[in-house]
Amino acid sequence: MSAVLDRLERQYQSGSSGIWQIAWRRLKGDRVAMVSLVVVGLFLLTIVLSALGLIARDWDDQVGVSYASPSFLGKVDNTEALSAGAAIPELAVPIDATIVDLRSVDPLADVMPEIEARAKALQSTVNDKAETLPFGGDKWGRDIIAKTIKGAQSSVLVGFAAAFIAVFLGTVLGALAGYHGRWVNDLLEWVYNVFTSIPNLLLILAFAAVFQKRGLLTVIMILGVTGWTGVYRLIRAEYLKHANREYVKAAEAIGASHFRRMFVHILPNVSHIILVNLSLLVVGFIKAEVILSYLGFGVPVEMTSWGTMLQEAQNELVIGKWWQFAAAAFLSMAVLVTAFSLLTDALRDALDPKLK
Amino acid sequence: MTAYLIRRLWQMIPTMLGVMLLVFMLFNTFAGDPAQVLAGKISNKAEIENIRKQLGVDEPYWKQMAIFAKQVVTADFGRSWSTKEPVSEIFAKRIGPSLTIMIPILVIEMFLCVALAMAVAYWRGGLTDRLVMIICTVAMSISFLAYIIAGQYFLGYRTELFPVQGWSDNLLTNLATYAPLPVLLAVLVGLGPGIRFYRSVFLDEISHDYVRTARAKGLPESTVLFKHVLRNAMIPIITNVAMSLPSLIFGAFLLEKFFSIPGLGREVINAVDKSDFPIVKAVTIYLAFATMVFNLLADVLYRVADPRVEFK
């Protein structure tokens, strides 16, 4: 008897589990979701490490010969590296310094042997480039793996930062329109109609035409400012529903301000929608960044992203150098985006209050 | 019906004004002085001065806005800054190639997606369903760029099944030789999201009571799906198609760029690259207008698809 009471009391103390606990429990039961979570986590870990400069810091170094082939292919004919002049043949006729004694006229003659020795040492370091790299090299002999990690850093950073901006704008504007109604709603609905009447990609291009300064921040701002409409729509509908609920009236009765009611009382009740949409937007913006960077409206030339890698890879494919294309398009981007999409699907199902 | 149409058209005016305001703010205030924007792009000083005068850069904003409003109303956006061609002529010349590839894409994609989604919905919950859904998710995760690059390389360059790129003046040659590869790639890319979307629409419909009734009276599953469910799913299908119509005009600009199809999308990308603002402005305004018209069209079509829908 006391044991039962004890258990009941413990249950009572812990309260009923909230939506996040239920969602987490459901997510843990979904094997696909857990694998996706691990994959996304690994990607994010790699990106954080590269942002901190712990890995892939030297991605810009020309560690290999031009178009170094991947190690697993072994040595293949690399005409590009040869024609790039990696090896200049030695002069056939050795110049023997003893034949003509120039000591009397040449002021450098005394130090000549030393100069030659130094030049030789320097040459050997310059020519010391790898013929093969773990996953090959690009035109300048940069390691594709390091480059892909660095590219992931730009693409994913843009995806996340832009998604946060878009979700923030959408949530605040949606909350204002749905909660206040009346003229605030009318005004924001008008802005929404204006933004959605222009096809999204065209709107992005129009912004890109105006903001010519290429940089991560520009891309993030363009995507963020043009991408808030979907979240706005959903959040506005939710706030319309919640604004007249009893708990909001109760909050009003105890003197909570409008701001408090909107963002302290209602916001937690719609946060699951925000999370799912954030996740959807990250995927969309990563794809958009790749296209923008490919077109040259994205990250600046001194940086790399999956989009700029694809742009380089386009011409490399014709001369048979497929590894940069494979690394950027399939091994990194497709894996991350697939994992992220599957995780988003699972998250949406787990957070859906209708599916109990 | 007429009253409804008039009211809807009337409601377009504030939105259109908003689009004009947005475009004006972007290109006339944020973009800064064209003399600076075009520095290094147009070398002729007199030409830049001429452009500044046309825009009324030194005039107050309300006057600039009036110049712009006149351009919108008369649909005359002046001449391209880089090629000096009238914008309306560029538009008329470029829209044909865009439509030549976009109409086949839209039609083929819609029928294929609906048919495949029906099939998946028929085998819902089974292994086929799960497998198709996983393939769709993976296919959606690969960049459109990757499809085009790989498709152009393998199907065009390596196997020579299709020309790598090109365009002619003859509509039939274009449709028969140059359009198939871009159309094939676009349809392939569209299948993933399309099947996923229509499948969820059909599954949503299948859970309704009328489906149970239809099955209870002994109708075969195929009749239930194709006659009852499809008819009821028309509204989301119309919405989806109407939403993709504006991109019909804009074209799949990536396809146009890769396959050097002289369409509107490629024109816009080049214009963005060269800061050729009149073209970008004109396309934005035209497409915003087209989007609004297509949305209205979709709302009218709802009534055709479902007589219960009332015009409010």
Side-chain angles (χ1 to χ4, degrees):
Chain A
M1 182 67 196
S2 72
V4 173
L5 274 181
D6 212 33
R7 208 177 63 220
L8 273 176
E9 199 163 327
R10 235 180 298 135
Q11 246 176 15
Y12 177 72
Q13 274 171 354
S14 65
S16 64
S17 33
I19 182 168
W20 298 106
Q21 280 161 307
I22 297 171
W24 175 239
R25 213 177 301 141
R26 281 193 204 157
L27 217 55
K28 267 199 297 196
D30 189 343
R31 215 175 303 149
V32 177
M34 288 325 278
V35 173
S36 311
L37 191 65
V38 170
V39 172
V40 172
L42 283 175
F43 262 90
L44 292 183
L45 184 72
T46 320
I47 287 157
V48 168
L49 286 180
S50 102
L52 291 173
L54 294 173
I55 50 169
R57 192 184 357 186
D58 306 323
W59 69 277
D60 212 6
D61 285 359
Q62 304 177 359
V63 288
V65 294
S66 181
Y67 297 123
S69 34
S71 303
F72 52 84
L73 281 185
K75 258 189 173 178
V76 285
D77 280 346
N78 191 346
T79 45
E80 279 74 22
L82 290 178
S83 65
I88 300 164
E90 297 254 330
L91 276 178
V93 187
I95 300 167
D96 197 347
T98 52
I99 295 174
V100 190
D101 195 0
L102 289 172
R103 245 166 251 243
S104 51
V105 286
D106 188 0
L108 283 179
D110 285 339
V111 285
M112 212 52 205
E114 201 192 331
I115 289 174
E116 270 168 8
R118 277 196 194 179
K120 208 167 254 170
L122 209 64
Q123 232 171 26
S124 66
T125 57
V126 166
N127 282 341
D128 189 23
K129 283 184 174 175
E131 288 281 327
T132 61
L133 289 168
F135 204 79
D138 68 358
K139 191 178 173 187
W140 294 275
R142 296 184 294 199
D143 183 17
I144 291 291
I145 292 181
K147 208 176 160 191
T148 310
I149 293 173
K150 213 64 196 169
Q153 194 194 324
S154 328
S155 298
V156 175
L157 178 72
V158 168
F160 270 91
F164 273 113
I165 292 176
V167 164
F168 176 78
L169 281 175
T171 306
V172 171
L173 297 179
L176 282 172
Y179 180 84
H180 281 296
R182 294 189 306 278
W183 66 270
V184 182
N185 180 45
D186 293 342
L187 179 72
L188 288 169
E189 281 296 281
W190 174 69
V191 176
Y192 169 83
N193 281 333
V194 168
F195 268 80
T196 46
S197 65
I198 304 168
N200 198 256
L201 274 166
L202 183 63
L203 191 62
I204 292 173
L205 284 177
F207 271 77
V210 171
F211 299 101
Q212 295 275 343
K213 204 171 154 286
R214 303 278 168 256
L216 276 189
L217 202 63
T218 318
V219 193
I220 291 170
M221 288 312 289
I222 290 176
L223 290 175
V225 168
T226 54
W228 56 272
T229 46
V231 183
Y232 163 83
R233 194 87 219 154
L234 291 170
I235 295 296
R236 175 181 166 272
E238 285 298 310
Y239 267 76
L240 274 175
K241 242 177 14 196
H242 281 269
N244 292 319
R245 292 249 169 108
E246 274 167 4
Y247 73 92
V248 182
K249 293 221 169 84
E252 189 186 355
I254 59 169
S257 65
H258 284 301
F259 183 85
R260 244 191 110 71
R261 267 177 269 161
M262 277 161 70
F263 296 110
V264 179
H265 293 269
I266 304 180
L267 192 65
N269 290 310
V270 300
S271 50
H272 59 287
I273 298 174
I274 298 176
L275 186 73
V276 169
N277 276 280
L278 181 77
S279 177
L280 281 173
L281 280 177
V282 170
V283 171
F285 286 158
I286 288 176
K287 287 184 185 171
E289 187 278 337
V290 168
I291 289 175
L292 277 182
S293 293
Y294 170 83
L295 292 173
F297 307 137
V299 300
V301 273
E302 68 272 14
M303 294 178 83
T304 187
S305 95
W306 289 335
T308 51
M309 286 178 76
L310 282 179
Q311 188 191 20
E312 288 171 24
Q314 190 192 351
N315 297 324
E316 294 172 8
L317 217 51
V318 182
I319 53 170
K321 315 292 176 193
W322 50 268
W323 34 91
Q324 174 152 238
F325 179 66
F330 299 105
L331 294 180
S332 51
M333 187 180 164
V335 172
L336 174 68
V337 175
T338 305
F340 218 113
S341 309
L342 290 173
L343 187 62
T344 310
D345 282 353
L347 206 60
R348 184 165 37 192
D349 289 347
L351 285 169
D352 191 347
K354 274 188 276 182
L355 303 168
K356 274 268 152 90
Chain B
M1 174 81 183
T2 323
Y4 172 78
L5 279 181
I6 291 173
R7 198 167 56 248
R8 281 293 301 268
L9 288 169
W10 176 249
Q11 282 165 354
M12 277 182 195
I13 294 174
T15 312
M16 203 60 218
L17 287 176
V19 172
M20 280 166 60
L21 191 67
L22 179 68
V23 171
F24 179 79
M25 284 201 326
L26 273 179
F27 290 96
N28 285 49
T29 60
F30 286 134
D33 197 323
Q36 246 168 359
V37 176
L38 294 171
K41 287 174 179 158
I42 294 178
S43 50
N44 189 346
K45 280 262 161 56
E47 189 57 49
I48 290 180
E49 208 39 53
N50 192 18
I51 287 169
R52 294 185 78 228
K53 203 182 274 170
Q54 274 174 18
L55 285 172
V57 173
D58 296 324
E59 308 275 355
Y61 278 132
W62 65 268
K63 227 171 196 171
Q64 292 184 35
M65 184 74 195
I67 297 174
F68 178 56
K70 197 181 153 215
Q71 286 184 333
V72 175
V73 173
T74 56
D76 176 15
F77 287 85
R79 285 163 186 274
S80 151
W81 287 353
S82 51
T83 61
K84 314 278 186 313
E85 248 180 302
V87 173
S88 50
E89 252 171 55
I90 294 179
F91 208 87
K93 210 163 62 187
R94 300 296 184 213
I95 196 151
S98 284
L99 291 179
T100 311
I101 59 164
M102 287 315 286
I103 291 176
I105 290 174
L106 191 81
V107 174
I108 296 172
E109 194 181 296
M110 188 184 75
F111 282 107
L112 257 177
C113 284
V114 169
L116 289 174
M118 268 287 172
V120 176
Y122 184 81
W123 287 302
R124 66 194 162 273
L127 189 64
T128 325
D129 183 22
R130 285 208 70 155
L131 208 63
V132 171
M133 282 305 105
I134 290 173
I135 292 172
C136 283
T137 311
V138 175
M140 278 165 70
S141 306
I142 300 166
S143 177
F144 193 10
L145 289 169
Y147 282 98
I148 303 179
I149 295 174
Q152 203 172 28
Y153 176 67
F154 286 109
L155 300 175
Y157 178 78
R158 281 291 283 273
T159 57
E160 294 179 10
L161 288 172
F162 302 96
V164 172
Q165 51 175 229
W167 202 251
S168 72
D169 292 328
N170 188 333
L171 178 68
L172 284 178
T173 341
N174 284 338
L175 276 177
T177 51
Y178 295 117
L181 184 55
V183 170
L184 177 75
L185 290 173
V187 169
L188 208 62
V189 172
L191 280 182
I195 292 177
R196 275 179 61 115
F197 173 78
Y198 290 126
R199 172 183 174 270
S200 69
V201 168
F202 294 146
L203 287 189
D204 201 39
E205 282 298 326
I206 283 173
S207 65
H208 281 234
D209 284 343
Y210 70 87
V211 176
R212 197 177 46 198
T213 311
R215 284 191 192 134
K217 66 181 184 185
L219 290 180
E221 184 72 9
S222 56
T223 318
V224 175
L225 279 180
F226 283 98
K227 272 190 86 172
H228 298 232
V229 172
L230 189 60
R231 184 74 197 259
N232 279 285
M234 274 321 275
I235 287 195
I237 294 176
I238 292 173
T239 314
N240 200 38
V241 173
M243 266 164 52
S244 57
L245 277 178
S247 70
L248 189 75
I249 302 176
F250 185 37
F253 61 97
L254 283 176
L255 286 172
E256 291 179 6
K257 190 174 162 64
F258 272 94
F259 292 98
S260 40
I261 297 163
L264 209 56
R266 203 181 63 153
E267 193 67 38
V268 171
I269 293 177
N270 290 342
V272 170
D273 210 27
K274 284 185 280 187
S275 304
D276 200 341
F277 289 171
I279 295 177
V280 187
K281 271 192 206 171
V283 172
T284 313
I285 297 280
Y286 284 145
L287 279 199
F289 184 68
T291 309
M292 285 182 241
V293 173
F294 288 138
N295 281 342
L296 177 57
L297 201 69
D299 286 349
V300 174
L301 279 179
Y302 288 164
R303 172 73 183 236
V304 179
D306 187 347
R308 289 169 302 179
V309 173
E310 276 178 38
F311 294 127
K312 275 182 265 171

